[in-house]
Amino acid sequence: MRKFFHLYIYSTLIAFAFLGLWVYITNFTELLDPVIFPSPEIVVIAFGKAILDLFKGFLSSMGLLVPAFALALVLGIGGGLYFGLHHRFRVILEPFFQTFSPLPPTLFIPYAIALFPTFKSASIFILFITTFWPIFLGTIQGVLLIDKPYWDNARTIGLKGKDLIFKVILPASSPLILSGIGTSLGFSFIVLMMAEMFGAESGMGHFIQYYTDFTQYDFVLAGIIFNSLIILAIMIIFEKIKKRLLFWTNLKSEAN
Amino acid sequence: MAKVLEKFINLKTENVAVPNKIEAKSIYFDYDGLEILNNINLTVKEGEFVVFMGPSGSGKSTFLRLLTGLAQPKQGEILVNNQSVAKSLPDSSVVFQDYSLFPWLTAEENIILALKQKLKKSKTKKELEQLAQGYLELVQLGHAIKKYPGEMSGGMRQRAAIARALSLGSDLMFMDEPFGALDPVTRINLQDLILQVNREQQRTIVFVTHDAEEAIFLADRIVMFTPGPPGKIAEIIDVPFPKTRNRKQLFESLEFIKFRDYVLSVMNRGVFEKLEESYEVRVGGEGI
């Protein structure tokens, strides 16, 4: 904890200065429209009133994000492994990967709405497209860039099948797989909020859109802060998991 | 006269009646059109300690790779235990300069992973662990069983790699500059360890180095490669010192110093010839 303060003393000071400025401007000046920029106390009150709704929204959002992400993980890593290891098929399909992967997933919304029966399934589909490509391409890259000596090493001890995949190929390519997953997570929040703000009847994005329509910006701000905290928490957890999985890239050796 | 000669030849063949471990016949290898190895012939006897020496680019490591079956020669044939390595990797263990261990597994897990392939499913997890620990203790790594390669020093890593190679139980070991990155003391310790393995367990060892003293101390025979490309065998030198060798006495003896000079002169001869060759080309080129 002491180390934390030592490291982030200035960051903490800046945060408090910002908060102080916000209190000052909203309470003691008329620089900002009080409807759109409510003072912090009012936002805190709104936060307290809405906390239950905010959590419901969070669960609803996760109901879209988790299935989409899980599917993207399975198909992205599974497919990436397959195409990383099968040179011929990869070469044949590479042009399609290159064509489709950079497309904004929101382009497919008309078809998602037309083809899927509910808003929920359509959103999961769009979120899946969003999260699939970075994981899939990251895995292919990861497999292709495995150091050749690891392959030699695996061959000399006769590794095959399950052991080869889980003890060598996946760990060796995990740095790039995880970086793909990180990219996916980042995109997924953007798309999730877009989807919820324009079509949903629940969720974190919907909460914000709902109160915007009533110009209740204290609730809007409470929603934005809540979202930020959730996204921050998810990213911190992801970084922790990543660091843990990649522990071997960052070990300190004994002196020679 | 003929009879005497015959007798002499008989005697000689009796002396070397040990079976062949490795036979490489007229090996040729190129990479992207560049000749790496040309017309290499070599036989290694069972239990022999053979060292490949030569400057960088002489193809000694490439040749070792061909022997391990990790790459195939473009021409010629390699037999290990009288079986061609073209069909399947020979029964052998390989120690690389680095990379012999997977950094995401502990020393113990690395060995268990290798043992598992070897023993199929005949052993329980517990038995595999005990075996792995036994081999790690054998190389004085009993204290580092749960350590990851990244937490070990270079010497410890190579010890663990040797433990893994030993655990595989093969009587043939390939080692590609395994001690190249180690400090002198660690290096000496590991040289002693590997000689002990060669002697006590009758394992055949093929070892690559560019260090003349290391080569002489370890080898029964030194195979000297010419500077490539393409690398050829310049000379196969029998090391005249009986095993077991005492390092201090050997290194201080006049015979050793003379022999080392000889080995180095064989290597340098090739290097100088190569230099002259490229010089001539340059001079010729300037004339155009």
Side-chain angles (χ1 to χ4, degrees):
Chain A
M1 203 64 195
R2 175 172 284 180
K3 205 177 149 198
F4 179 88
F5 275 117
H6 187 72
L7 205 60
Y8 293 114
I9 175 104
Y10 292 108
S11 320
T12 316
L13 285 178
I14 290 171
F16 276 110
F18 177 77
L19 201 63
L21 196 68
W22 183 13
V23 172
Y24 173 75
I25 290 178
T26 48
N27 282 313
F28 302 106
T29 73
E30 281 169 12
L31 284 171
L32 295 173
D33 180 347
V35 176
I36 300 179
F37 295 100
S39 71
E41 316 90 81
I42 298 174
V43 174
V44 169
I45 293 166
F47 201 96
K49 279 191 203 154
I51 189 77
L52 212 65
D53 279 347
L54 284 168
F55 266 109
K56 275 188 202 148
F58 165 68
L59 289 180
S60 161
S61 296
M62 289 303 118
L64 303 179
L65 191 59
V66 171
F69 210 81
L71 197 64
L73 275 180
V74 172
L75 293 183
I77 295 177
L81 280 179
Y82 182 84
F83 286 104
L85 293 171
H86 294 83
H87 179 72
R88 231 186 98 72
F89 293 120
R90 185 181 67 251
V91 170
I92 293 172
L93 293 183
E94 184 92 54
F96 299 105
F97 301 160
Q98 299 299 344
T99 308
F100 286 103
S101 59
L103 297 181
T106 40
L107 279 183
F108 299 100
I109 287 177
Y111 273 95
I113 291 170
L115 293 175
F116 287 89
T118 58
F119 168 80
K120 188 171 176 180
S121 51
S123 303
I124 291 175
F125 171 71
I126 293 296
L127 279 169
F128 167 72
I129 299 181
T130 310
T131 47
F132 171 77
W133 286 112
I135 299 175
F136 178 69
L137 296 179
T139 308
I140 292 182
Q141 276 293 322
V143 174
L144 291 182
L145 292 179
I146 293 177
D147 285 333
K148 198 157 165 277
Y150 290 144
W151 289 113
D152 286 350
N153 196 0
R155 276 183 71 195
T156 59
I157 59 172
L159 277 183
K160 280 197 278 300
K162 226 175 65 190
D163 273 343
L164 181 63
I165 289 177
F166 288 102
K167 301 278 176 151
V168 179
I169 296 174
L170 272 180
S173 47
S174 57
L176 282 168
I177 297 179
L178 285 163
S179 114
I181 294 175
T183 311
S184 276
L185 263 180
F187 284 155
S188 73
F189 294 123
I190 301 175
V191 173
L192 178 69
M193 291 306 141
M194 298 270 280
E196 285 182 342
M197 285 170 107
F198 297 111
E201 268 142 37
S202 58
M204 304 197 298
H206 172 256
F207 180 95
I208 293 170
Q209 186 57 41
Y210 180 83
Y211 285 104
T212 310
D213 290 345
F214 295 105
T215 39
Q216 278 191 281
Y217 272 76
D218 46 348
F219 283 87
V220 170
L221 256 180
I224 289 175
I225 291 169
F226 181 79
N227 274 357
S228 311
L229 291 176
I230 293 290
I231 291 172
L232 184 68
I234 292 177
M235 284 328 254
I236 287 175
I237 291 169
F238 171 70
E239 285 302 323
K240 288 249 176 255
I241 294 174
K242 184 169 150 185
K243 210 170 165 189
R244 190 162 194 149
L245 287 172
L246 297 182
F247 73 95
W248 51 274
T249 57
N250 206 14
L251 293 172
K252 289 229 162 49
S253 79
E254 288 177 18
N256 243 358
Chain B
M1 185 64 193
K3 261 194 172 169
V4 176
L5 244 174
E6 217 179 332
K7 208 173 175 184
F8 180 73
I9 290 165
N10 274 339
L11 260 179
K12 196 124 200 224
T13 43
E14 255 174 40
N15 267 343
V16 288
V18 187
N20 288 340
K21 191 75 193 166
I22 301 172
E23 282 174 79
K25 298 171 194 162
S26 19
I27 300 304
Y28 173 87
F29 187 79
D30 63 10
Y31 193 79
D32 284 343
L34 180 69
E35 277 189 319
I36 308 284
L37 291 167
N38 198 355
N39 195 26
I40 308 278
N41 290 287
L42 180 71
T43 305
V44 177
K45 299 279 174 199
E46 255 175 38
E48 216 181 353
F49 200 129
V50 173
V51 171
F52 295 172
M53 242 191 103
S56 320
S58 61
K60 56 190 190 305
S61 288
T62 306
F63 186 52
L64 189 86
R65 218 178 133 71
L66 297 180
L67 296 183
T68 62
L70 286 169
Q72 295 302 327
K74 297 287 161 73
Q75 286 164 36
E77 192 184 25
I78 293 169
L79 301 177
V80 173
N81 297 324
N82 291 316
Q83 283 183 324
S84 168
V85 301
K87 288 175 200 106
S88 62
L89 292 190
D91 178 25
S92 65
S93 44
V94 189
V95 177
F96 304 97
Q97 179 167 10
D98 211 336
Y99 283 109
S100 290
L101 304 169
F102 297 115
W104 46 84
L105 300 176
T106 62
E108 186 189 32
E109 288 166 344
N110 264 292
I111 293 177
I112 289 177
L113 184 64
L115 274 173
K116 243 167 73 185
Q117 317 306 316
K118 194 80 180 177
L119 303 171
K120 304 297 175 213
K121 282 179 178 140
S122 61
K123 291 264 194 290
T124 64
K125 204 177 159 221
K126 190 98 196 155
E127 285 172 312
L128 285 174
E129 274 172 20
Q130 275 166 357
L131 270 172
Q133 284 170 18
Y135 281 106
L136 284 167
E137 276 157 20
L138 193 73
V139 296
Q140 276 117 47
L141 276 184
H143 62 289
I145 287 168
K146 304 281 182 206
K147 283 223 156 93
Y148 288 92
E151 298 171 303
M152 298 191 241
S153 67
M156 289 166 78
R157 277 202 289 275
Q158 286 315 70
R159 270 178 205 279
I162 290 168
R164 196 189 74 174
L166 295 178
S167 77
L168 288 171
S170 164
D171 57 357
L172 175 59
M173 278 173 80
F174 294 110
M175 308 184 85
D176 188 4
E177 300 197 34
F179 311 145
L182 304 181
D183 69 285
V185 176
T186 314
R187 204 172 169 133
I188 285 172
N189 286 333
L190 289 184
Q191 286 169 357
D192 290 342
L193 173 70
I194 209 68
L195 275 176
Q196 191 189 343
V197 166
N198 169 241
R199 193 173 56 241
E200 289 175 8
Q201 308 183 355
Q202 302 297 318
R203 301 198 201 220
T204 312
I205 297 180
V206 181
F207 189 105
V208 173
T209 183
H210 50 242
D211 182 309
E213 286 180 3
E214 182 169 73
I216 297 166
F217 185 65
L218 294 175
D220 297 317
R221 278 192 300 159
I222 297 173
V223 179
M224 184 66 75
F225 284 73
T226 59
K232 296 182 195 129
I233 293 181
E235 198 169 328
I236 297 180
I237 310 165
D238 284 305
V239 180
F241 309 113
K243 286 193 170 174
T244 353
R245 295 168 188 157
N246 177 304
R247 183 186 303 270
K248 191 162 180 289
Q249 276 175 17
L250 178 68
F251 280 26
E252 283 168 354
S253 72
L254 203 64
E255 290 90 344
F256 172 81
I257 294 167
K258 270 191 187 154
F259 185 69
R260 186 188 59 195
D261 288 348
Y262 173 67
V263 169
L264 287 173
S265 76
V266 172
M267 182 157 99
N268 288 338
R269 202 194 306 147
V271 175
F272 293 148
E273 275 168 16
K274 187 83 194 169
L275 285 174
E276 270 164 30
E277 227 173 75
S278 57
Y279 180 68
E280 271 166 27
V281 170
R282 210 178 309 150
V283 171
E286 278 166 5
I288 293 170

